[in-house]
Structures are given as structure tokens and as C-alpha cells.
Amino acid sequence: MNDRFQPIFEPFVLPCGVELKNRISMAPMTISAANADGSVSDDDLSYYSRRSRGVGMVITASTTVSAQGGFPGSAAADRDEMIPGLARLASTIKEHGPKAILQIVHGGRQCPASNGDVVSASAVPMEKEGAVVPRELREEEIVEIIRTFGEATRRAIEAGFDGVEIHGANGFLIQQFFSPHSNRRKDRWGGTLEKRMAFPLAVVDEVHRVVRQYAKEPFIIGYRLSPEEAETSGITMADTLPFAEALAAKPLDYLHISLNDFWSVPRRGIDDDRPRIQIIHERVGHLVPVMGVGAIRTAQDAVRALQTGIPLIALGRELIMEPDWIEKIADGREDEIKTTIAKDDQARLAIPDSLWRMIAGVPGWFPVE
């Protein structure tokens, strides 16, 4: 291995005491390959097995905490019948060495109308043509959804996962409560910045309560955060920085900043032209490890990102195109890393039909040869 890439392979100990064997995680990516009932499929297992050999941690695609909050093809952790399949997934990932993290989510207003009842913090639709106007959640429903995040965590523990990642990013329900665009409530769950934090922080508290009650050994709790929204009335960095501080005061093991580009800068809210992730890391990195993601393609990119002081890096598309990313760097073969997908690569890369259709259907999402 080239010595300049050694920082990638340095172990890292999370606040809960769990040690990661290196600084690279597999980012959560939608693959929509679960069985129709939400159980883990053989395609899921093959996909994760192919990508679990080198990274320090694998974060699964979002797994719904309730039928109301799920998507077609997404795995579910909403009932105990799902535990055997989740256990197969956890063991498949862990047999190759990384820690297995189950990402848990409620989609809120992003869920399809076919779910029967589209809900959100307030009756505000997404800003896109044909968007459904969601129903505003009632107090007792909010409390129940918080409980479902805890129940999904219990199932993850019973299935043998090493941790969960709370999906508070990408416009899903937890973010909908934090966003001034989607949350127009005037009760304890909305209004001021502090009240818009209440639901996300309550979810974190419930997940931590369940971990204390059920986990027999250290269990990782991560939180994924989108720092800004495109809507003019949406989340800005001025909102996110105090929110990140509130999250950092909780017993979290990492804060995963969801970005398309690791080096992207603030849109608005603060007068600072440094990358958003560096600003967040400066504010809370001494309290909680920060994980960066986005447009990190090569070993050189990863080292440059780690040199900022950000301790953890997640790779998404790179591990779809090149499942052997880590091993090739370790073997001194970084020049052999694949950066394109050929039309006959699906079987070799163990890509489910559902994901292959996404790749083919979104121009520019992948550089397909």
C-alpha cells in the first residue's frame, strides 16, 4: 500500500466504545430490493455481501419503522416477523468484518399515496408538481411514531446489528418536523426553532432509552442530517448549527452530514464560504464524531477529506461501481479502481434489478459505459 493512504486505514473508536477498523463506511443508498412484505430478500443479501469486505461500517438503505412511513421495495423493521430476515442481513454484513448499522426512517409526506394516509408535521405539500397535501399528525400519533423508532431499534438489537442510524435527512419525516417549510405547527412540536427540534430530539431520546434497556453490549447510535433545504423558507445553516449542537449534547456516536458534495458551501443563513461540513465539524466535532460524504471518488479524495479533521468518510456510488475500493487501495492497486459501469456488469457487481433500473433510468447518475 502507498504510505500516503495510511490515514484511510487508521482504526477509530466511537464514543460508545466500538472500534471501527478503518475510516470508511458504506453510505445508505436506496436499492428497493426487499420482498413485497418488507422482508429482506436474497438480492439484498447478495448486494450487501459484495460490498462488506473492506469498509469499517455498512449503513443499510433506509428501513421503515411503520407501514405508513415506508416505500415500495424498502425493507421494514415495523413488526417482529421482520427480525429473522434482518438477522440474516446483519450476519451477512458482519461476517466480512464491518459493523452493521440499520438505518431507520419514516418517510412522512414523501411516502406514496398508495400507503393510504400521507402524513407530516403540517398539511404542507412538497414543492413539486402533483405533490399530495399531507395530513397533519395529531399529538397522539406523534408520540406513537416516536415509539416506533424505539421498537425498530429493539428489533435491530435482537437481529444482531451493531447499531442504528436515525434518518433525519433528505426531507423525510424527522426533517419535516425540523424544517420551517414543512412544519407550521403552533404547539409543542413547532413554531420556534427550539420547538422544531423537539421531535428529532425525542426520537434520539427514545432510541437511546431502548438501547439502554435492551442492548447487552455497546450499541452504535448515529444520526443523519441534511444541513440545508433548497426551498426559500426551508432549513438554513443558521438553523442547523444550533440543531447540531443540540444533537451533539445527546449520546450519539456520529453525526452523518448528508451532502452531494463533501466540499459544498452554505447557500444562506451564515456569512461563511467554507465547506458546510467543516463549519459543522468546527462547531460540534469535539463533542460528536462527524461523518462526511459526497463526491469522494478516489483514495486521494478520501485522504484530502480526512486531512480537514473530519474523522469518518462514507462512500455511496463509489462502492456500487467498485465494491473492492478498499481492498484495491490496501493492495497498492488504486489505479485499478473502476469509475464506470458497463452494460454487462450487473451480475458481477451483484446489483439488484431494482437498482439497475434506477441506474439506467436517471441520466448522469452513473457514468455507464
Side-chain angles (χ1 to χ4, degrees):
M1 181 183 68
N2 189 317
D3 288 345
R4 63 178 169 156
F5 301 139
Q6 185 58 43
I8 294 171
F9 295 89
E10 292 177 0
F12 186 80
V13 179
L14 296 168
C16 68
V18 172
E19 181 176 281
L20 306 180
K21 64 181 180 181
N22 59 47
R23 302 305 180 96
I24 305 297
S25 295
M26 178 175 167
M29 293 172 286
T30 298
I31 60 173
S32 302
N35 294 317
D37 65 352
S39 59
V40 172
S41 70
D42 290 341
D43 282 347
D44 282 321
L45 299 178
S46 297
Y47 170 83
Y48 284 104
S49 178
R50 183 69 181 86
R51 290 163 177 81
S52 298
R53 287 173 171 78
V55 295
M57 188 162 65
V58 170
I59 308 168
T60 71
S62 58
T63 304
T64 184
V65 301
S66 75
Q68 179 193 58
F71 300 88
S74 293
D78 62 336
R79 54 201 189 279
D80 286 354
E81 299 94 285
M82 298 294 103
I83 294 174
L86 292 171
R88 291 173 65 205
L89 178 56
S91 62
T92 294
I93 294 170
K94 292 166 66 172
E95 70 178 334
H96 298 301
K99 303 304 179 185
I101 308 298
L102 187 73
Q103 190 189 68
I104 51 178
V105 69
H106 188 299
R109 70 181 185 180
Q110 290 204 36
C111 291
S114 58
N115 282 14
D117 191 17
V118 179
V119 299
S120 187
S122 299
V124 179
M126 293 183 287
E127 289 189 353
K128 69 175 188 177
E129 186 175 350
V132 174
V133 177
R135 177 176 63 79
E136 180 174 295
L137 285 161
R138 300 184 295 272
E139 166 74 20
E140 63 272 18
E141 293 176 306
I142 294 171
V143 173
E144 173 60 18
I145 289 173
I146 293 168
R147 189 190 70 83
T148 66
F149 275 92
E151 280 291 279
T153 300
R154 174 184 62 80
R155 295 180 185 112
I157 293 168
E158 293 184 16
F161 279 90
D162 298 297
V164 294
E165 180 176 277
I166 301 166
H167 198 347
N170 302 105
F172 294 126
L173 183 65
I174 294 177
Q175 183 174 322
Q176 290 163 31
F177 268 90
F178 181 58
S179 169
H181 175 270
S182 47
N183 186 346
R184 315 288 175 86
R185 304 179 72 98
K186 301 300 181 185
D187 59 7
R188 67 180 178 129
W189 302 107
T192 65
L193 174 63
E194 289 72 22
K195 288 182 177 181
R196 286 189 283 112
M197 294 182 193
F199 180 79
L201 296 178
V203 170
V204 173
D205 287 343
E206 175 65 5
V207 167
H208 185 241
R209 182 193 69 78
V210 168
V211 170
R212 290 199 314 272
Q213 180 176 353
Y214 291 101
K216 302 295 192 295
E217 53 192 35
F219 190 82
I220 299 164
I221 305 174
Y223 188 100
R224 196 170 206 215
L225 167 71
S226 290
E228 293 187 273
E229 291 179 323
E231 296 88 352
T232 54
S233 60
I235 297 166
T236 71
M237 288 294 288
D239 301 309
T240 289
L241 292 177
F243 182 40
E245 290 179 328
L247 287 168
K250 298 293 182 180
L252 292 173
D253 292 292
Y254 66 87
L255 190 60
H256 186 178
I257 310 303
S258 183
L259 297 167
N260 288 324
D261 185 344
F262 182 95
W263 303 100
S264 60
V265 299
R267 290 189 178 99
R268 59 190 186 276
I270 60 172
D271 185 18
D272 196 324
D273 60 1
R274 293 177 297 159
R276 290 179 283 192
I277 193 164
Q278 286 187 265
I279 298 167
I280 293 169
H281 176 66
E282 179 180 79
R283 185 70 69 97
V284 302
H286 61 294
L287 299 172
V288 62
V290 174
M291 180 184 293
V293 68
I296 297 171
R297 312 293 189 204
T298 66
Q300 292 89 338
D301 291 339
V303 169
R304 180 181 172 225
L306 290 169
Q307 287 171 342
T308 66
I310 307 297
L312 299 169
I313 302 297
L315 301 180
R317 300 174 184 180
E318 296 74 28
L319 291 178
I320 294 180
M321 292 185 283
E322 180 53 270
D324 303 318
W325 196 91
I326 286 281
E327 294 96 319
K328 286 185 176 180
I329 296 170
D331 294 341
R333 298 185 294 128
E334 61 273 5
D335 292 341
E336 298 177 21
I337 289 175
K338 300 286 188 181
T339 57
T340 60
I341 291 178
K343 297 184 185 302
D344 59 354
D345 274 347
Q346 183 181 3
R348 180 180 66 82
L349 296 175
I351 296 177
D353 288 343
S354 51
L355 178 56
W356 193 253
R357 288 193 293 270
M358 293 182 210
I359 294 170
V362 182
W365 199 58
F366 283 113
V368 179
E369 290 178 340

